[in-house]
Amino acid sequence: MKIRYFEDTDTLYIEFRDREILETRDLDENTTLDVDAEGNVLAITFEHASKRTDVRHLTLEGIAA
């Protein structure tokens, strides 16, 4: 899993799986969802992230060994 924040565009990208993206679906005008051929969610992208999320604070829990 990867979390990337692009300050220059205020975009938050959270990748759950590194697989081939079949389709990008619009959840709303500022949020997209990437899915694979089986419909699994691979990533989510938030535009205007600093206004819509708490991007300045990150807490990780349940990290796999």
Side-chain angles (χ1 to χ4, degrees):
M1 184 170 155
K2 295 179 186 173
I3 300 172
R4 299 175 69 189
Y5 176 65
F6 302 91
E7 190 169 356
D8 57 331
T9 59
D10 194 20
T11 302
L12 177 64
Y13 180 77
I14 303 172
E15 179 186 85
F16 302 106
R17 290 183 177 181
D18 184 17
R19 298 177 70 181
E20 183 177 349
I21 297 169
L22 176 72
E23 179 182 14
T24 299
R25 299 176 184 168
D26 291 330
L27 296 183
D28 61 33
E29 65 185 31
N30 295 305
T31 311
T32 60
L33 201 65
D34 296 333
V35 298
D36 66 10
E38 288 81 40
N40 297 309
V41 176
L42 302 178
I44 188 166
T45 303
F46 296 92
E47 301 297 341
H48 310 288
S50 65
K51 296 177 182 135
R52 303 176 59 225
T53 69
D54 191 10
V55 72
R56 303 249 182 256
H57 298 95
L58 174 66
T59 302
L60 298 176
E61 296 181 12
I63 299 173

